[in-house]
Amino acid sequence: MKLDIDKLRAEAEKELRDAGVHEKLSAWYSKFLGKKGIVRNFLASISDLSPEEKKEMGKKINLLKSDLEKLYSDAFSLVSSIKKDSQITEFYKTLPGKRPEVGHLHLITQAIREIDAVFARLGFVRVRYPEVDWDYFAFEALNMPKAHPARDEWETFFVDLPEDPKMGKVVVTPHTSSGQVREMLKAELPIRMLNISRCGRRQIDLNHVPTFYQFEGLVIDRGISISHLKGVLEYLIHNFFGKDTKFRLRPYDFRFTEPSFEVDVTCGLCGGKGCRFCKGGWVELGGAGMVHPNVLKAGGIDPEVYSGFAFGWGVERVLMMRSGIKIDDIRLLFENNMKFLEQF
Ligand code: DAH
């Protein structure tokens, strides 16, 4: 049994406050101070402790006992002598107040702020683009023409609104990459963008939810190469996961980057040795690559002069990969269960 004296004190005081008649008061007395009451149980349970601990705990419990007895006898005489309701109020005023609970930021907000802070040190500017966007920015401008099979991967939600002849349908933004061309059209070069936003896809299981967050980096300047991309990824990974985490770029194909990569990091649970979760020691984080010339053109940028890199990862995913945070079901992050959230 864990002896939490403060908790017991708070509980006893609260219940006493709610007990306004004799019968309730005596039930309160037996529960907390009676022969089989909680305070006696506490006293009995410390017999196994070391003599010093026993002495200290004993003192605390006895103090609690005498405080509660005093509160009880005050309450008893008050209830016996009540003539007017206002007297009860007077008595309640003398009881210790109820401490308001102090909340904290949601785990995902904490992660977003941390990611933002890491990139701010490299001069990235935080932006946000619409959570409901045109098909054009989500796919077409990213080198995925209408009906291209690559689009299937994005499990898109379509919004029931009229189609625009040039921009196409309206979609729930399926990835933060939709901000790439918007940024190119808006910002002046060079670009160092960090777009963190909510996205939506038709999917739900241990690793997927219909609404989630991504962060997207985009850098465009003269002479940008893969080594810049690797340097930035290394900075993020070392700051977010720790210096011991290694990473690798694995060839992949995204339509909007060429070459494209998937980025893997060594597993946070086993340190890269290989375990039940990661199997081979590596876990996949997300995509990256060098911006495709067609995407630069869609943004009005000359690919002969400028080049750039981009990467887009899930906020929840990097959070879950972090060692020490053992969350094995992404849905936990969205259930708003206080018992879960209070741990962080
Ligand atoms: N948008 C991609 C997705 O949601 C991830 C991605 C891959 C973003 C490569 C990038 C990139 O910027 O270069 O799966």
Side-chain angles (χ1 to χ4, degrees):
M1 173 167 72
K2 190 173 169 296
L3 297 184
D4 190 339
I5 293 184
D6 292 336
K7 198 169 151 210
L8 177 62
R9 182 187 290 272
E11 198 178 305
E13 286 171 359
K14 180 181 177 303
E15 288 191 23
L16 186 62
R17 225 178 281 133
D18 297 340
V21 289
H22 279 119
E23 299 84 86
K24 281 198 185 163
L25 277 182
S26 54
W28 180 94
Y29 192 90
S30 338
K31 176 171 173 187
F32 290 99
L33 295 169
K35 270 191 194 145
K36 290 183 184 154
I38 301 178
V39 173
R40 294 250 182 147
N41 264 340
F42 263 36
L43 269 174
S45 73
I46 61 172
S47 56
D48 307 337
L49 298 179
S50 71
E52 265 174 23
E53 283 175 322
K54 209 190 311 185
K55 199 167 147 202
E56 198 194 326
M57 282 306 277
K59 244 194 217 162
K60 284 191 185 161
I61 298 173
N62 278 325
L63 177 67
L64 172 70
K65 188 166 167 240
S66 59
D67 286 350
L68 292 185
E69 262 162 4
K70 167 92 175 51
L71 283 176
Y72 171 78
S73 71
D74 287 352
F76 189 85
S77 40
L78 183 93
V79 169
S80 313
S81 70
I82 282 175
K83 295 192 189 71
K84 282 198 242 121
D85 283 356
S86 62
Q87 279 176 297
I88 308 182
T89 323
E90 279 313 304
F91 168 68
Y92 287 164
K93 275 188 195 160
T94 66
L95 281 173
K98 216 172 144 191
R99 233 175 250 278
E101 281 182 38
V102 180
H104 63 71
L105 293 174
H106 191 280
L107 197 51
I108 295 178
T109 311
Q110 291 180 36
I112 288 177
R113 293 199 178 180
E114 229 180 286
I115 292 164
D116 191 8
V118 170
F119 283 106
R121 296 204 286 275
L122 295 177
F124 280 72
V125 178
R126 168 89 187 268
V127 298
R128 286 188 80 168
Y129 286 109
E131 291 177 9
V132 171
D133 208 342
W134 296 110
D135 176 292
Y136 178 78
F137 288 113
F139 295 113
E140 200 152 346
L142 295 177
N143 203 26
M144 280 183 272
K146 281 195 184 68
H148 194 284
R151 289 174 168 224
D152 288 354
E153 270 185 46
W154 277 269
E155 311 266 13
T156 311
F157 284 115
F158 290 92
V159 180
D160 196 7
L161 281 173
E163 201 171 324
D164 179 89
K166 179 166 182 306
M167 296 299 192
K169 294 187 172 146
V170 180
V171 298
V172 174
T173 302
H175 56 172
T176 43
S177 303
S178 62
Q180 288 192 15
V181 170
R182 281 187 173 277
E183 177 78 5
M184 293 179 207
L185 293 174
K186 194 191 87 183
E188 280 180 25
L189 291 166
I191 287 172
R192 259 181 280 184
M193 168 195 96
L194 179 68
N195 174 24
I196 310 186
S197 194
R198 206 194 327 219
C199 304
R201 293 189 200 173
R202 288 184 295 114
Q203 51 188 14
I204 187 151
D205 62 32
L206 282 182
N207 289 307
H208 301 94
V209 276
T211 165
F212 56 97
Y213 291 84
Q214 279 193 342
F215 62 102
E216 182 97 7
L218 175 71
V219 171
I220 299 176
D221 202 348
R222 289 168 199 264
I224 295 290
S225 68
I226 296 180
S227 46
H228 296 114
L229 168 61
K230 279 192 78 176
V232 168
L233 294 183
E234 182 179 80
Y235 188 78
L236 169 69
I237 288 164
H238 283 175
N239 276 280
F240 198 79
F241 296 104
K243 289 251 183 295
D244 296 334
T245 305
K246 295 192 186 58
F247 74 104
R248 67 179 183 191
L249 300 182
R250 198 162 29 80
Y252 199 76
D253 65 326
F254 291 106
R255 291 280 303 174
F256 36 96
T257 39
E258 181 57 41
S260 300
F261 310 102
E262 288 258 87
V263 183
D264 297 337
V265 291
T266 42
C267 171
L269 291 180
C270 65
K273 287 189 208 83
C275 63
R276 212 160 56 112
F277 172 71
C278 67
K279 312 232 161 56
W282 294 94
V283 285
E284 178 193 313
L285 269 190
M290 301 305 293
V291 182
H292 195 287
N294 288 350
V295 179
L296 290 171
K297 280 189 215 155
I301 294 172
D302 183 354
E304 297 297 328
V305 183
Y306 288 95
S307 56
F309 65 78
F311 53 89
W313 300 355
V315 171
E316 298 85 0
R317 187 158 178 87
V318 296
L319 183 65
M320 287 163 70
M321 295 291 163
R322 203 178 205 176
S323 54
I325 296 201
K326 295 191 173 139
I327 305 172
D328 53 9
D329 184 342
I330 191 172
R331 292 169 293 196
L332 286 169
L333 291 168
F334 293 92
E335 279 170 359
N336 287 339
N337 178 344
M338 293 300 282
K339 286 213 170 77
F340 170 76
L341 293 173
E342 275 166 0
Q343 300 172 70
F344 301 98

